[in-house]
Amino acid sequence: MSDNYRSREERRRAMNDNKPEGKSQGKPKKKKKGGLFRKIVAAVLLIGIIGLIAGVGTFFAMISDAPKVDDSVLKNSFSSKVYANDGKTVVKEIGAQKRTYVQYDEIPQVVKNAFIATEDVRFYKHHGVDFYRIGGALMANFKNGFGAEGGSTITQQVVKNSFLSPKKTVKRKVQEMWLAYQLERKYSKQQILEMYLNKIYFASGEVYGIERAAEKFYGVKSVKDLTLDEAAMLAGLPKAPTTYNPVTNPENATKRRNTVLNLMAKNGFITQAEADKAKQVDVQAHLAKQTESTSKYDVFIDQVIEEVKKKTDADPFSAGLEIYTTLDTNAQDYVDDVMNNKVVNFPNDKFQAGLVVVDNETGGIQAIGGGRNRVSGGLNFATNMRRQPGSTIKPILDYGPAIENLKWSTGQPIKDEEYHYSNGTPIRNFGRNYKGWVSAREALGRSLNIPALKAFQATGADKAKEFATGLGLKLDEEDGEAYSESYSIGGFRTGVTPLQMAGAYSAFANEGMYNAPHTVTKVKFPDGTEIDLTPKSKRAMQDYTAFMMTDMMKSVVNESYGTARAVRTPGLEIAGKTGTSNFSADEKKRYNIPDAGEKDVWFNGFTPNYTISVWTGYETAKDGYILSANETGMAKNIFKHVITHISEGKPKGSFKQPDSVVERSVEKPTGKDLKRPSGSTPSSLITKEYFVRGTAPTKVSQTFVKKEKEKEEKKEDKKEDKKDNNKDNKDVKPKITASYSGGAISVNWSASNAASDTTFTVTMSSPNGSEQLASGAGAGGKTISNPAPGATYSFTVTTNTGESASSSVKVPDSSDQATEDDSTKPEDDGTTDDNQNEDNSNTDQNNGSDQGDDSSTQPDDNQNSNNGSNNGGNNNGGNNSGNTDNNNNDSGNANDGNSGNNNNNGGTTTPPADNGGSDSGSQTPQTPATPSTPSTPATPQQEPTTEN
């Protein structure tokens, strides 16, 4: 029975197992709805609770060490100490001495409305923190970039300036919001606004508080006397006190004031008609005359205050800071003496100057010359005044970018010729003349405009902009216009400051590394917090660009054609660039300014240690113009005095050539390609230039040698290149022997370990002078016929590896030998005749080229190049024609582009032969028995012409 049961149970289970899925016996169980959703909600709530607990815990942890709201701190201020660059000397203690406290009821409603509309339009609606405004600021920053709009309320600004350090951290922001809430609980809105208007910073010269600002800018006895346009102007100042100062920057100030008026109208504080009426008032119409004179170091400290506020948001006049600066008191004292007429003699009281001294390695500003006869808060001609830089911009926008991007050499040929901008407008040099083919070095040294424009065009505006931006010059952003070709010679609207130019030029001296010029290195807060404010160095250009541009600017100072010869200082290696700008036609007509009158004169120069940018001129066109020699030379005069003083007792240093640069001898340019000189190239036409390694020319000039010699010259060139690239050379040991026999000297040379590309240069020294006997590969020999009796002949062989050997022989002194020599003429060999014919033809060709180039390839130091032929052994005879450039341009008071009176004698002239000149071609040894008599110089065919 039990077996039966078990089998029936088994059969039943088997039947149940074979039933389709989804079907069940009996009623199906009902599933509980929403089980998964409840689990998700529970998880979110749990996470939220945990996050809330963590957030609250973090919040209280952050505010646990927040300072307490202290009444004395809110209403009182703590002075800050400013230290010199030694970190010990306190040069000034700045505080709240020039603050006048005014009660809330004494402040007119128009002033309150102007500040609320500008700084915190929901001031009366929030409780210290405006979350609505924070959301709007986040959206604005997301759309326009970080910093586009701030979310701090007036209450938060009071807290920040009174209790907290300016470190931009989450903790500080949380503490700021917490303290703002606490401040709103303790004080009324009226009391908070009163604190704000009495603590806010308005201008340099320690101008704090609305009452003091009203007196400073508008000369009113009370803030109650301010008009709508004046209140709007003052409300716009705290955002950027220097940028919007109506005294020094009226254009920016007008825009800012009108923005405040628009905000007041938008938020219902005034009508649009009232705003439009106030906009019609000239922003400088009601300004009081600034008469308060500056005290010692005020010009420098004004810059310090601006940097601290910009970089930290701290208030130097009330935060009790210790501010460490780059101020060199010795340099600043001397610059102050210069500005006070104790070092140089300024032409008159209205003549102005601005200068900045920068340490090249760090970018630290050593001294600032803000101007002459300055008043507190007045225009700073070194840091705030913007003027066209003239030709001082050429290293930055023209030649620097060309070397950086195109790897131009310092000898890059550029044709100075009649030219025009791409739009067809003519461009001219200052002297209204053209030099033909010149090197980039000479073009910069002479300050020629046309080569500068060609360099700008070769690189392109985009690359020029990139190069300038790397040096701290954001010209198009400040001008509101795109780079145009006129930028190449300094023709842009807004201009630059000496501070900017000193920073840019210092990068050339610092091997291409740019350090933004600055006055503050660090700030220490009362709670012990320190902030390092030293800017980070960045590479602005390659080291080869920096070195080659520096060497080109050394030519501006050192070469006879340079426009800054007046700044030469014994013992100092100086490079730099001059620059001038002119008045507009309208200004000349309105103020009766002569054509020669100049608006601005600059000199930016540097040594290995310091860079100084000097601007000189008049504040406005009605004040005067630059014309006299004293005025045109003042910028260079100031530079020379200051650089000499600050360099005394310090290592002078030197500009070091980097491995990326090689120096090569080349022929002065007569066409678009540079070439290596041949052995016959006159020394007066050979110059040394710098090249980026791997770009030096390899072709040898054929102007003075035959075509078939080119192959040998290339071998010599390759050998020299191998040597400069530090490639191994064998230990070549040259040998030379000389002996006398049968009325002739036999010379033979060779070398041990000589390679197939080893070349020899053999020279002979005799009573007739020195000359080259042979040059080429392989050993060889030479016979000197009819040597002078009793004379000693010396011979030297030099290999291209730099090794040399010498030998000499003395010719017997006998009457028989002398008779034989007197009666025997030198035997001509084909080589000598060929060289003489070659000299004649090539000399003619070269003279024609020189004349066509307006003497551009001739020396400027009263040197004559004697490239004539040597016929019959007469070294002074033949047809010696050339150009003589008598350069009397050494005044140092030069206008940009032409220093002094530059007299260039052009045309075709036939000057007397110059025994001291450079003779080209080979010469046959001559019989000394009958000395040659110098021939009479040829009569000039025409008078030299003078080119001013």
Side-chain angles (χ1 to χ4, degrees):
M1 198 67 176
S2 60
D3 291 340
N4 234 2
Y5 175 77
R6 283 196 295 272
S7 62
R8 283 198 299 269
E9 284 294 321
E10 290 173 358
R11 285 197 297 269
R12 189 179 297 116
R13 289 174 184 171
M15 290 174 63
N16 288 336
D17 291 340
N18 291 330
K19 288 182 179 180
E21 291 184 8
K23 295 181 180 180
S24 61
Q25 294 179 347
K27 294 181 179 180
K29 294 181 179 180
K30 293 183 179 180
K31 293 183 178 180
K32 295 181 179 180
K33 296 181 179 179
L36 179 62
F37 177 74
R38 282 198 297 270
K39 289 179 180 179
I40 294 174
V41 172
V44 170
L45 288 174
L46 180 61
I47 293 173
I49 292 171
I50 294 174
L52 180 62
I53 294 173
V56 171
T58 302
F59 175 79
F60 280 103
M62 287 184 173
I63 66 173
S64 61
D65 59 348
K68 295 181 179 180
V69 176
D70 189 339
D71 292 354
S72 62
V73 175
L74 286 169
K75 295 188 177 182
N76 298 325
S77 300
F78 299 93
S79 61
S80 299
K81 294 179 180 180
V82 180
Y83 293 86
N85 61 359
D86 61 2
K88 300 177 181 179
T89 305
V90 177
V91 294
K92 192 165 186 178
E93 189 167 349
I94 54 177
Q97 296 89 343
K98 299 181 180 180
R99 189 192 308 264
T100 303
Y101 202 91
V102 58
Q103 301 296 323
Y104 178 83
D105 294 338
E106 298 175 314
I107 303 172
Q109 192 63 40
V110 66
V111 173
K112 300 172 187 174
N113 292 342
F115 279 90
I116 290 173
T118 306
E119 296 294 330
D120 188 2
V121 71
R122 288 170 44 82
F123 176 67
Y124 291 108
K125 297 179 181 179
H126 61 68
H127 298 286
V129 180
D130 188 354
F131 293 100
Y132 178 83
R133 184 179 182 187
I134 291 174
L138 289 174
M139 292 297 297
N141 291 332
F142 178 77
K143 294 170 64 175
N144 304 320
F146 179 77
E149 184 177 319
S152 295
T153 63
I154 285 178
T155 309
Q156 287 176 274
Q157 291 184 54
V158 172
V159 166
K160 180 177 63 177
N161 291 331
S162 300
F163 302 111
L164 300 173
S165 73
K167 287 183 114 179
K168 295 182 178 181
T169 62
V170 174
K171 180 178 180 180
R172 196 217 72 172
K173 197 66 181 177
V174 170
Q175 289 185 347
E176 178 186 301
M177 297 169 71
W178 168 252
L179 291 174
Y181 175 72
Q182 296 295 318
L183 194 67
E184 290 268 355
R185 291 182 60 191
K186 188 172 184 178
Y187 297 98
S188 67
K189 290 287 186 180
Q190 291 75 13
Q191 290 174 310
I192 293 172
L193 184 60
E194 178 184 309
M195 296 175 195
Y196 174 75
L197 291 176
N198 279 286
K199 290 180 75 72
I200 199 165
Y201 171 71
F202 284 92
S204 61
E206 303 184 26
V207 181
Y208 273 77
I210 187 65
E211 182 82 355
R212 172 66 179 153
E215 178 187 352
K216 169 73 175 179
F217 286 102
Y218 298 108
V220 296
K221 294 181 178 179
S222 171
V223 68
K224 296 178 182 180
D225 299 326
L226 290 174
T227 61
L228 172 59
D229 64 282
E230 294 168 350
M233 182 68 259
L234 293 181
L237 274 174
K239 182 178 180 180
T242 300
T243 302
Y244 300 128
N245 189 319
V247 176
T248 58
N249 295 307
E251 185 176 348
N252 290 338
T254 300
K255 293 178 181 178
R256 180 62 178 164
R257 180 202 61 182
N258 292 347
T259 297
V260 174
L261 290 169
N262 289 336
L263 289 172
M264 293 180 72
K266 176 183 177 181
N267 293 292
F269 292 108
I270 59 174
T271 66
Q272 189 61 50
E274 289 174 319
D276 293 339
K277 182 179 179 181
K279 290 178 185 178
Q280 301 304 313
V281 180
D282 189 322
V283 76
Q284 292 186 321
H286 303 149
L287 290 178
K289 185 177 180 181
Q290 307 298 304
T291 57
E292 185 177 1
S293 61
T294 59
S295 59
K296 193 172 186 178
Y297 304 137
D298 270 1
V299 175
F300 192 95
I301 291 174
D302 282 349
Q303 186 67 18
V304 169
I305 294 169
E306 183 174 346
E307 281 188 34
V308 171
K309 289 186 64 65
K310 182 178 180 180
K311 294 180 179 180
T312 70
D313 288 334
D315 181 356
F317 289 91
S318 61
L321 309 174
E322 292 183 9
I323 305 171
Y324 295 86
T325 75
T326 60
L327 174 66
D328 183 330
T329 55
N330 175 55
Q332 185 64 60
D333 289 341
Y334 189 81
V335 168
D336 289 343
D337 287 343
V338 171
M339 294 292 111
N340 292 328
N341 226 41
K342 297 180 180 179
V343 177
V344 297
N345 295 318
F346 289 99
N348 54 65
D349 288 340
K350 290 186 176 181
F351 189 91
Q352 280 292 353
L355 70 93
V356 173
V357 182
V358 170
D359 180 277
N360 293 333
E361 185 176 358
T362 66
I365 299 173
Q366 308 292 288
I368 299 175
R372 303 179 59 235
N373 308 314
R374 288 189 74 250
V375 295
S376 180
L379 178 61
N380 188 321
F381 291 93
T383 61
N384 303 133
M385 182 276 318
R386 296 181 182 274
R387 291 294 181 91
Q388 288 189 357
S391 291
T392 62
I393 205 66
K394 291 175 181 177
I396 298 171
L397 293 185
D398 306 332
Y399 299 107
I403 295 175
E404 179 79 2
N405 297 285
L406 304 178
K407 295 186 177 180
W408 275 17
S409 71
T410 58
Q412 173 70 28
I414 314 174
K415 193 170 186 179
D416 181 35
E417 59 187 340
E418 188 174 347
Y419 201 64
H420 53 75
Y421 294 102
S422 296
N423 63 7
T425 303
I427 178 175
R428 299 180 179 85
N429 294 323
F430 182 87
R432 300 294 194 272
N433 54 21
Y434 310 106
K435 297 295 181 182
W437 286 103
V438 294
S439 65
R441 178 191 299 278
E442 184 177 351
L444 181 67
R446 292 185 183 275
S447 203
L448 302 174
N449 291 334
I450 293 164
L453 172 59
K454 289 185 175 182
F456 180 89
Q457 291 174 332
T459 309
D462 290 341
K463 291 296 183 182
K465 174 182 177 181
E466 181 181 332
F467 193 85
T469 301
L471 294 174
L473 299 178
K474 299 179 180 179
L475 304 177
D476 60 335
E477 294 180 9
E478 295 168 356
D479 286 354
E481 58 181 278
Y483 268 55
S484 65
E485 291 182 343
S486 64
Y487 274 42
S488 63
I489 58 174
F492 39 89
R493 183 170 59 87
T494 303
V496 294
T497 67
L499 176 61
Q500 290 176 304
M501 295 303 280
Y505 269 65
S506 66
F508 292 117
N510 195 32
E511 300 178 354
M513 299 300 296
Y514 174 74
N515 296 293
H518 57 281
T519 59
V520 182
T521 57
K522 70 175 181 178
V523 173
K524 187 174 181 179
F525 291 83
D527 63 358
T529 303
E530 288 188 7
I531 299 181
D532 184 0
L533 299 183
T534 305
K536 302 296 183 183
S537 297
K538 65 177 183 178
R539 180 158 292 284
M541 69 190 85
Q542 298 299 320
D543 58 359
Y544 60 76
T545 304
F547 176 79
M548 291 163 68
M549 275 309 313
T550 295
D551 200 71
M552 288 170 63
M553 285 190 274
K554 284 170 62 178
S555 295
V556 176
V557 176
N558 297 326
E559 294 297 331
S560 58
Y561 53 70
T563 58
R565 296 185 307 280
V567 305
R568 295 173 184 169
T569 303
L572 288 180
E573 195 172 355
I574 298 174
K577 185 69 189 78
T578 55
T580 64
S581 72
N582 302 320
F583 290 96
S584 66
D586 179 66
E587 288 173 320
K588 288 182 178 179
K589 183 178 180 180
R590 181 182 304 177
Y591 300 108
N592 196 28
I593 299 172
D595 289 338
E598 294 170 344
K599 188 173 186 178
D600 310 288
V601 175
W602 293 75
F603 183 71
N604 299 330
F606 54 92
T607 65
N609 296 325
Y610 301 105
T611 295
I612 304 177
S613 176
V614 185
W615 167 87
T616 57
Y618 292 86
E619 182 174 352
T620 64
K622 66 180 181 181
D623 292 330
Y625 50 84
I626 298 173
L627 185 62
S628 69
N630 183 32
E631 291 171 313
T632 57
M634 187 57 67
K636 288 175 281 191
N637 193 14
I638 291 173
F639 172 88
K640 184 172 183 177
H641 278 90
V642 175
I643 198 67
T644 300
H645 178 82
I646 64 177
S647 300
E648 288 178 355
K650 299 176 182 178
K652 304 302 187 291
S654 61
F655 301 113
K656 297 179 180 179
Q657 178 181 337
D659 292 337
S660 58
V661 175
V662 296
E663 186 180 32
R664 291 288 185 271
S665 294
V666 294
E667 281 191 0
K668 291 184 179 180
T670 56
K672 64 179 181 179
D673 296 321
L674 280 180
K675 294 182 180 180
R676 301 294 299 274
S678 67
S680 300
T681 302
S683 61
S684 60
L685 298 181
I686 300 176
T687 183
K688 289 187 176 182
E689 299 291 356
Y690 287 106
F691 297 82
V692 178
R693 185 174 292 277
T695 65
T698 57
K699 291 185 178 180
V700 177
S701 171
Q702 296 303 303
T703 305
F704 301 99
V705 296
K706 289 185 174 182
K707 297 283 186 180
E708 54 264 27
K709 290 187 177 181
E710 183 176 2
K711 187 175 181 180
E712 294 179 3
E713 297 288 352
K714 284 183 178 179
K715 290 182 179 179
E716 181 180 353
D717 178 69
K718 288 181 180 179
K719 190 63 179 180
E720 184 176 353
D721 286 343
K722 289 181 181 179
K723 180 182 176 182
D724 285 331
N725 287 318
N726 297 320
K727 292 186 177 181
D728 294 333
N729 284 298
K730 293 181 179 179
D731 186 17
V732 179
K733 295 182 179 180
K735 179 181 180 181
I736 187 169
T737 60
S739 61
Y740 174 81
S741 178
I745 297 175
S746 177
V747 185
N748 296 282
W749 58 89
S750 61
S752 60
N753 297 326
S756 60
D757 59 351
T758 301
T759 59
F760 298 85
T761 300
V762 182
T763 58
M764 177 183 74
S765 177
S766 70
N768 295 325
S770 297
E771 62 178 288
Q772 181 175 302
L773 287 183
S775 178
K782 193 82 171 181
T783 299
I784 311 301
S785 302
N786 300 320
T792 299
Y793 288 74
S794 299
F795 303 90
T796 301
V797 60
T798 304
T799 68
N800 58 330
T801 62
E803 302 294 332
S804 64
S806 300
S807 180
S808 62
V809 62
K810 183 175 182 180
V811 179
D813 185 8
S814 66
S815 58
D816 292 341
Q817 181 67 43
T819 303
E820 179 183 354
D821 290 344
D822 287 341
S823 61
T824 304
K825 295 182 179 180
E827 294 183 6
D828 295 336
D829 58 26
T831 303
T832 302
D833 290 339
D834 287 344
N835 286 336
Q836 290 176 346
N837 293 334
E838 172 189 296
D839 290 342
N840 290 334
S841 62
N842 284 328
T843 299
D844 292 341
Q845 177 185 353
N846 184 56
N847 288 338
S849 173
D850 290 345
Q851 293 164 3
D853 291 343
D854 193 20
S855 303
S856 64
T857 60
Q858 297 299 320
D860 287 300
D861 289 328
N862 298 321
Q863 297 174 356
N864 299 324
S865 295
N866 184 4
N867 300 325
S869 61
N870 302 300
N871 298 324
N874 186 354
N875 196 31
N876 296 315
N879 298 323
N880 301 316
S881 67
N883 296 326
T884 303
D885 185 1
N886 297 321
N887 192 327
N888 298 321
N889 181 7
D890 198 21
S891 68
N893 297 320
N895 293 329
D896 185 25
N898 284 295
S899 298
N901 299 320
N902 192 4
N903 300 326
N904 298 320
N905 297 333
T908 303
T909 63
T910 308
D914 183 3
N915 291 331
S918 174
D919 298 326
S920 64
S922 302
Q923 300 175 10
T924 303
Q926 301 159 19
T927 306
T930 307
S932 300
T933 303
S935 60
T936 303
T939 303
Q941 298 177 356
Q942 68 177 61
E943 291 297 323
T945 57
T946 301
E947 186 178 48
N948 293 323

